[in-house]
Amino acid sequence: MGRLSLLVSLLSLTDTVFGKWLGETKTVGGKKYQCKCYSDNECFPTPADWAALNKTVGGTLKVTLPPGAPCHDSVGNVSTYNAAACADVQANWVNEQWLTDHPIANLWPLYTNNTCLPTTNPNTPCTRGFYGLYVVQATKKEHIKAGVDFARKRNLRLIIRNTGHDFMGRSTGYESLIINTHTFKDVKFLKKYAGPGNWTGSAATVGAGVQGRELYRQAFAQDPKVVIVGGECPTVGWAGGYIQGGGHGPLTSIYGMGADNVLSFDAITAKGEYVTANAEENPDLFWALKGGGPSTFAVVTSITVKTFPEVAVAGTIVNINSTHTNDTKVFNEGFKIFHNLANHYVKHGMFVYFELSVGRLHIAPFVGPRMDEAKVNEVLKPLFDQLDAAKIPYDKYTRAFPTFFQFYIDMFEDEQPNQNSVVGGRLFTQKDIAENGDKVADALLMASQPTPDIFGFSVGHIVDPGYGVPVADNAIHPKWRNSSSFVITNVIMNGDESWAVKKDRESVQTNIVGKALREAGPDGATYVNEGDLYEPNWQESYWGSKYPQLLKLRKKWDPEGVFYTQTTPGTEDWEVLDYGAKLCKKV
Ligand SMILES: Cc1cc2nc3c(=O)[nH]c(=O)nc-3n(C[C@H](O)[C@H](O)[C@H](O)COP(=O)(O)OP(=O)(O)OC[C@H]3O[C@@H](n4cnc5c(N)ncnc54)[C@H](O)[C@@H]3O)c2cc1C
Ligand SMILES: *[C@@H]1O[C@H](CO)[C@@H](O)[C@H](O)[C@H]1NC(C)=O
Ligand SMILES: *[C@@H]1O[C@H](CO)[C@@H](O)[C@H](O)[C@H]1NC(C)=O
Ligand SMILES: *[C@@H]1O[C@H](CO)[C@@H](O)[C@H](O)[C@H]1NC(C)=O
Ligand SMILES: *[C@@H]1O[C@H](CO)[C@@H](O)[C@H](O)[C@H]1NC(C)=O
Ligand SMILES: *[C@@H]1O[C@H](CO)[C@@H](O)[C@H](O)[C@H]1NC(C)=O
Ligand SMILES: *[C@@H]1O[C@H](CO)[C@@H](O)[C@H](O)[C@H]1NC(C)=O
Ligand SMILES: *[C@@H]1O[C@H](CO)[C@@H](O)[C@H](O)[C@H]1NC(C)=O
């Protein structure tokens, strides 16, 4: 009896190790895999198990419904059609805030398998595709912990979903248990930080669910007004994927990357422990959470970050498109002139956001922190002189603002979600631009149309985090220091292509576009939040010399693989099999 009860308690202590909750084994390409538990496996939780979890999370557990569900008769055994709700879906399908407020929606639907789209025909089947199966709409830290514990003990695919912004499908997963952090909206501003580390200036503690523009707005409402380094997008989740991937933004040239400014994290580990990570407590986790990859080391519940005094900002918007010329040679020459000056812009402390597609260059805007109109014009003079000398037609518009916030609201534009593309990209260093500027520009122009029948679209950020700022010690790829141009490339899709075509487009991104970018920028790197899921040598490419330490820390903080997103530290043995469905580990 004694031995039996010892065995029973051992089993419950180390469930997965002893095989109590193991999913199926598969052999693919001669390799053996052990999968997480899915609904067609005996190890999957029973309705009673889910009901017990629901009780622990205060009734916040829901069976998921894809955002398009109200336009369809049913999802599985749940009736979903609702004309009014369907009209609401149709009206908001490209509304970023509506999508981020939804419990499980993704802004880039390719990674949901483009399932259950809005339709006027309710008979069209709606499946969950790669969406999760259950979602905890957490309102307390305890709910997050309960979700992590349940996923770990029951060997389920776990997804942390904040805004659903991710370009790379990292906030969705087939039949997963999703933990939604969107309600964690608290922000507290401090005039003087007195915690660990050497910072004694102002700071803010920001909840996991706070989004870009609402954070900027609250910082602007302080007296005196302050700024925080964040992204350009209004709805991106600041304390979620953004910081954990590193985080660039319009103020990066003067204040560094988002993660450079973090003073402390509050988080829940894969083992379900509440931890604080800063210069004194858990300094290794502190280091890793600053750029080491989203959903990799812990679930962050809040972040304390440096705030800075507001700054005057001037900006310029420049266009070259079919209004100005339809001559490809002229257009390409114009783009080259603009992009070859990347080192010049960053050496003057500028950040530049631009969009490039066939025959269309939209630079909106050039960001000149601590500049007035005259200063921006002076910095940009070489650009306009060269365009004029080469007889390239363009238009421009310049304006100065007393504060960053006013500038940001006026001169940055919102993006449109629910578009389909396969994403990739590259960070070019100042060395790359100085030595290979034309080749880099040619590669980017090629990315606009990599093959005669495939179109591309690129979003560029000319930025050098650390212009005049001491380099912070964290997990961000060292190549970000002295960077010059970081460009996201998109291979455009309709979304309704077959699996084979989707794979082919991924290959175009990696092997045609990506290859040209790597060859043009051999000194460069890639950015984990805005990169290629199939990037060759992704460990080196995303983290460089920081990778070995990140791998070590992943094994320390998440030894069982509770968290997973593709191309993050320590995921080498994991693979999503069955056409993007089941997450399995090589054994
Ligand atoms: C339109 C657009 C504009 C963008 N602009 C910028 C920009 O200016 N600068 C920049 O650096 N990046 C930018 N990004 C990229 C952005 O940083 C990433 O998409 C980021 O992962 C989004 O994080 P999220 O939490 O909002 O999104 P989600 O999709 O909800 O989550 C993204 C990843 O983070 C993980 N995650 C979320 N919350 C947590 C948490 N609390 N703890 C642990 N893991 C978590 C998720 O599991 C997932 O892997 C942009 C993206 C888009 C779509
Ligand atoms: C969880 O409990 C709430 C409140 O009782 C209920 O509305 C919800 O449907 C339950 N979720 C599941 C998955 O049963
Ligand atoms: C409907 O499906 C869910 C999820 O598979 C299951 O938990 C539930 O018991 C089913 N309900 C009915 C009435 O069949
Ligand atoms: C994903 O979409 C493909 C078609 O591209 C389909 O064959 C497959 O069944 C889908 N998988 C899931 C889980 O929805
Ligand atoms: C704080 O400053 C001291 C003295 O300059 C330095 O030794 C220490 O490493 C700093 N601590 C941190 C966390 O930066
Ligand atoms: C081209 O630039 C003009 C401004 O000169 C702008 O009004 C127009 O919308 C742009 N066209 C495209 C396709 O972006
Ligand atoms: C370019 O072509 C478009 C479409 O034919 C036309 O509307 C536009 O006027 C042309 N632009 C120039 C500068 O000729
Ligand atoms: C950046 O370049 C400067 C000189 O241009 C050099 O002194 C510095 O070490 C470089 N920084 C990094 C991180 O490579």
Side-chain angles (χ1 to χ4, degrees), residues 113 127 129-130 174 497-499:
N113 216 17
T127 63
F130 299 163
Y174 174 77
E497 291 91 346
S498 69
W499 188 260

Side-chain angles (χ1 to χ4, degrees), residues 189-204:
F189 288 87
L190 304 166
K191 295 248 187 289
K192 229 173 147 43
Y193 178 73
N198 289 336
W199 181 253
T200 54
S202 59

Side-chain angles (χ1 to χ4, degrees), residues 202-247:
S202 59
T205 299
V206 181
V210 178
Q211 292 171 270
R213 189 185 289 165
E214 64 187 349
L215 184 58
Y216 287 155
R217 196 180 295 285
Q218 290 182 52
F220 187 70
Q222 300 308 302
D223 181 17
K225 298 178 190 314
V226 291
V227 290
I228 291 175
V229 176
E232 50 74 31
C233 169
T235 60
V236 80
W238 184 85
Y242 173 80
I243 289 291
Q244 288 168 67

Side-chain angles (χ1 to χ4, degrees), residues 422-426 486-491 509 517 530-533 535:
V422 174
V423 173
R426 191 155 185 90
F486 164 62
V487 184
I488 306 170
T489 53
N490 291 270
V491 170
Q509 178 65 265
L517 301 181
E530 301 177 312
D532 183 351
L533 287 169
E535 180 70 27

Side-chain angles (χ1 to χ4, degrees), residues 540-569:
E540 163 65 25
S541 192
Y542 284 129
W543 287 286
S545 58
K546 309 285 176 77
Y547 191 76
Q549 181 65 7
L550 287 170
L551 181 60
K552 211 174 108 194
L553 291 175
R554 174 64 184 267
K555 287 181 178 156
K556 173 180 170 185
W557 289 95
D558 181 16
E560 292 177 80
V562 174
F563 302 122
Y564 172 83
T565 58
Q566 201 173 327
T567 64
T568 50

